Amino acid sequence: MPAPLPTALDHQGLLVQLQHGQEGALKALYDALAGVTYRVCLRMLVSPEDAEEVLQDTFLRLEAQAGRYDPARGTVQTFVLTIAHHLCLERLRARRARPQARDGAVDDPAFDLPAPSPARDPLDQALLGAALRSLPDTDRLLLEGMFFGGYTHAELAARTGLPLGTVKSRLRRALLNLRRRMTP
């Protein structure tokens, strides 16, 4: 029988161990969260080499910033993915490049969920997929552009032709809808 999937509570316990300098805690968190973190980095950066570098930097920064984690603001996975997201944005902005469509594909309005990994809760994945599908197409595309494309609000407004205030309002509404749908 396979080992049970780590839960958010397990991740939180590992982060507390990391905060107290216990050996093995960072490796255990890496083992549990590296798969989903790498897929987010790859989605944003396209380059496997860049994604691997940002993945490593993410866990180095996690070790340095473990004390900043606040369970009231989200899960450990959310904390790690936020670190990765910010590092990807820094890299995208530093090279002034945007991800290119892979294999000559055009922009697909469908949101590609990362492939399941042993460290990912299938229920969370199903809830996220359903929540994203329930959003209006424009809101979902704006979220993708912001989180995976690395575009700023102003850049999204220019790309879509929507007023800046509308872009900001739609993104805020979409994030609140996702949070509401993802909270049990």
Side-chain angles (χ1 to χ4, degrees):
M1 179 175 206
L5 296 174
T7 65
L9 192 55
D10 296 335
H11 296 158
Q12 201 168 0
L14 288 169
L15 193 65
V16 169
Q17 291 175 15
L18 181 62
Q19 290 169 342
H20 290 97
Q22 286 189 286
E23 286 187 39
L26 183 62
K27 182 187 181 321
L29 281 167
Y30 182 89
D31 291 344
L33 300 172
V36 68
T37 305
Y38 174 77
R39 285 189 300 279
V40 167
C41 294
L42 184 61
R43 171 74 190 248
M44 288 183 72
L45 300 171
V46 178
S47 162
E49 295 82 15
D50 285 347
E52 289 172 10
E53 286 182 30
V54 170
L55 174 67
Q56 297 301 318
D57 292 345
T58 297
F59 283 89
L60 289 173
R61 189 164 291 179
L62 173 66
E63 185 175 30
Q65 295 182 354
R68 295 183 60 205
Y69 172 69
D70 178 5
R73 296 187 65 192
T75 65
V76 173
Q77 179 173 320
T78 302
F79 184 63
V80 170
L81 292 178
T82 300
I83 292 170
H85 181 255
H86 286 287
L87 290 171
C88 286
L89 289 177
E90 286 175 13
R91 184 162 293 227
L92 285 171
R93 289 179 181 144
R95 71 180 185 202
R96 292 286 183 218
R98 297 292 179 226
Q100 302 298 314
R102 291 176 287 216
D103 301 323
V106 295
D107 288 336
D108 183 3
F111 181 81
D112 295 322
L113 287 176
S117 74
R120 184 150 190 182
D121 185 353
L123 181 59
D124 283 347
Q125 186 176 356
L127 286 172
L128 178 60
L132 285 168
R133 285 188 299 277
S134 72
L135 293 176
D137 288 343
T138 306
D139 293 356
R140 187 176 67 248
L141 291 173
L142 287 171
L143 279 175
E144 287 179 8
M146 185 175 73
F147 283 103
F148 296 115
Y151 294 104
T152 64
H153 292 141
E155 291 169 329
L156 286 171
R159 285 178 55 99
T160 61
L162 295 171
L164 180 60
T166 301
V167 168
K168 290 180 179 182
S169 297
R170 284 185 179 213
L171 284 168
R172 173 106 174 109
R173 182 182 63 217
L175 288 170
L176 290 172
N177 283 337
L178 280 178
R179 176 181 284 175
R180 189 176 66 248
R181 286 178 169 83
M182 294 296 295
T183 305

